[in-house]
Amino acid sequence: SQSRYATAPGNYTLQIRKRNGFGENNYYYLAIPFTVGRAWYDNSLFLVFLIGFAICTIILFSNYQNRRLITRQKELELLVQAKTQDLQEQNNILEKSNRINNRLISIISHDIVTPLKFLTATGRGLYKKKVELPEETQKEILEEIINTSQELHLLSTNILNWIKYQSGNKRLRTESIDAQEVVQQVLSILNPLAKEKGIQLLNNILPTTTFQQFAEPFKILVYNLVLNAIHYSDQGNICVEIQANNGYFSLLVVDTGVGMSPAKIDSLLNDSSPIREKEADQKSGHGLGYLIIRDIIQWMNAQIEIESTLGKGTSVCVRFQSLKNQLVNNS
C-alpha cells in the first residue's frame, strides 16, 4: 500500500493499491476520501486569546516591576530619610558644640580674663604701695580682691557643671532625695556670699519631702537658682521650698531682689540666648547660670515658670515628677 500524509487542512483522498494476482498490472485500487480539519490553535479565536494572554502577561510583568520599583523607591526614601535625620542630628551636635565653644570663649575672654587682670593689677599695686596706702584703703582693696576671687570660683564651678552636662557622656542613676538635706547643703555653700550682701537664705522645705530624681542635677539646679537670686538681690530674703501635689513637685526659689524685665523672662523661657541687660538694677551677667538651669530642666523633663516685678523680686518655680529607678546616659 502507499499513502500520502497531509498536514495542511483540507480535503484529501487516501488511495490504497493491492495486487490482485499474477500479471504486471493486476492491481486492485481503493480510494478513501477524508478531510483534515484545522488544528485547535489554528483559528482567529485562539489568536485573539494568545494576543490577550501576551498583553496580560506584559501588564502583569510591568505591574510587578513597578511594584518592585515602588518598594525599592520607598526603601531608598526611608534610607535617605534616616541618613538625613542622622546628618541633622550630627549637624545639631556640631552646632551645639559651636555654641558651647562660642559661649565659653565669650565668658573666658570677658568674665574671667578681665577679673584676673583686675586681681593682678590690684594685687601688684597693693604690694608696691602698701606702706603709702591707709589701712582703710587696703581693707577695701582686699575686700574687692576677695569678692572678685569668689566670683571667679563660682563662675569656674558653673563652667565645669555646664561642660559636664553638655558633653553627653555621663551616666546617672536616679536616687531617693531628701530635699531638705540637699537644699541645706547648697545653702551652706552659698551662705557666706549671701551674708556679704546682707541676704538671709531660708530653707522652708519639710523634713518629710522625698522623691526619686537625679541627685546631682537637682543639686546643681538648686545651686544655680539660688546663686542667680543672690546675684540679683542686695538685701532681704531668699526662700527655698518644695510643694507636693498629685505626684508632682514644685521647687520654688523666691527672692526680694531687683527683679527681671518681661524681655529677659521671655528670653529665658523661650530657650533663646540669655540677654545681657542693664535696667533699673544696673546689673548684668554672663547668663551661664540660666543656661545650666535650662539644660538640667530638659534633662529632668521638668517645666519652669518665672514671675518677677522690677524692684520687688522674682519667683522661680520648677515643676517635676518623681522618677522610677533608672540608669541613663546624659546625651
Side-chain angles (χ1 to χ4, degrees):
S1 64
Q2 184 177 5
S3 63
R4 182 165 59 91
Y5 297 96
T7 57
N11 297 321
Y12 294 88
T13 301
L14 175 62
Q15 187 176 18
I16 301 173
R17 186 179 68 173
K18 179 182 177 184
R19 187 176 291 277
N20 199 23
F22 297 99
E24 181 178 357
N25 294 317
N26 188 13
Y27 292 98
Y28 171 77
Y29 292 92
L30 177 64
I32 302 175
F34 66 94
T35 302
V36 176
R38 291 181 177 274
W40 61 272
Y41 52 82
D42 188 15
N43 59 74
S44 58
L45 183 62
F46 178 75
L47 181 61
V48 172
F49 169 78
L50 190 62
I51 294 174
F53 178 78
I55 293 174
C56 290
T57 302
I58 293 173
I59 292 174
L60 290 175
F61 181 75
S62 298
N63 288 338
Y64 171 73
Q65 289 293 96
N66 288 336
R67 284 196 299 269
R68 284 191 59 190
L69 290 174
I70 292 173
T71 302
R72 182 58 179 165
Q73 183 179 3
K74 289 181 179 179
E75 291 176 352
L76 290 175
E77 287 177 354
L78 291 176
L79 182 61
V80 170
Q81 184 178 356
K83 292 293 184 182
T84 302
Q85 185 176 358
D86 183 58
L87 290 174
Q88 185 63 43
E89 290 176 356
Q90 294 296 327
N91 185 55
N92 291 337
I93 292 174
L94 290 175
E95 289 182 355
K96 185 177 182 180
S97 178
N98 288 334
R99 288 197 301 269
I100 294 172
N101 293 335
N102 293 335
R103 174 64 64 176
L104 289 178
I105 290 172
S106 174
I107 293 172
I108 291 173
S109 62
H110 181 272
D111 296 284
I112 292 183
V113 173
T114 300
L116 287 175
K117 288 181 179 179
F118 167 76
L119 289 177
T120 302
T122 305
R124 183 182 293 114
L126 180 61
Y127 176 76
K128 290 181 178 180
K129 301 179 180 180
K130 60 181 179 180
V131 178
E132 305 172 10
L133 294 174
E135 183 177 350
E136 186 65 26
T137 303
Q138 293 186 33
K139 183 179 178 181
E140 292 178 359
I141 293 175
L142 288 174
E143 288 179 352
E144 287 292 330
I145 291 176
I146 292 172
N147 292 334
T148 303
S149 301
Q150 189 176 45
E151 289 180 3
L152 283 173
H153 173 259
L154 295 173
L155 177 57
S156 301
T157 301
N158 260 348
I159 289 176
L160 292 176
N161 288 334
W162 192 45
I163 293 175
K164 182 189 303 182
Y165 287 96
Q166 293 286 340
S167 61
N169 57 4
K170 187 174 180 60
R171 291 172 63 84
L172 293 176
R173 183 183 297 276
T174 57
E175 303 175 32
S176 179
I177 297 176
D178 184 335
Q180 187 188 59
E181 181 181 349
V182 171
V183 169
Q184 191 57 46
Q185 292 173 3
V186 174
L187 298 186
S188 297
I189 295 172
L190 297 176
N191 196 50
L193 179 63
K195 280 186 176 180
E196 290 179 3
K197 302 183 72 173
I199 300 171
Q200 185 179 8
L201 302 182
L202 303 176
N203 184 354
N204 289 347
I205 300 176
L206 298 176
T208 56
T209 305
T210 59
F211 46 81
Q212 195 82 11
Q213 259 292 347
F214 299 103
E216 188 177 3
F218 176 77
K219 190 173 183 178
I220 295 173
L221 174 66
V222 176
Y223 174 89
N224 280 280
L225 287 174
V226 176
L227 182 61
N228 277 321
I230 294 174
H231 179 74
Y232 286 97
S233 300
D234 291 322
Q235 59 183 354
N237 301 324
I238 296 176
C239 175
V240 182
E241 63 179 287
I242 293 181
Q243 299 174 354
N245 185 19
N246 294 329
Y248 284 88
F249 294 86
S250 297
L251 170 66
L252 296 169
V253 178
V254 182
D255 65 63
T256 55
V258 296
M260 291 185 291
S261 68
K264 184 163 187 177
I265 294 176
D266 289 340
S267 173
L268 297 174
L269 295 181
N270 292 333
D271 201 29
S272 58
S273 298
I275 58 175
R276 293 174 179 269
E277 62 173 14
K278 287 186 178 180
E279 296 178 347
D281 57 331
Q282 293 297 312
K283 293 180 181 291
S284 65
H286 43 71
L288 184 58
Y290 267 103
L291 285 175
I292 297 173
I293 291 170
R294 208 160 54 199
D295 287 344
I296 293 179
I297 284 174
Q298 293 177 355
W299 173 246
M300 294 173 58
N301 194 25
Q303 294 84 36
I304 184 172
E305 296 178 358
I306 302 175
E307 295 181 0
S308 185
T309 303
L310 285 174
K312 294 185 178 181
T314 301
S315 173
V316 180
C317 175
V318 177
R319 194 165 180 258
F320 59 92
Q321 283 183 296
S322 182
L323 303 178
K324 297 180 180 179
N325 291 329
Q326 55 180 303
L327 177 64
V328 295
N329 286 319
N330 177 25
S331 57

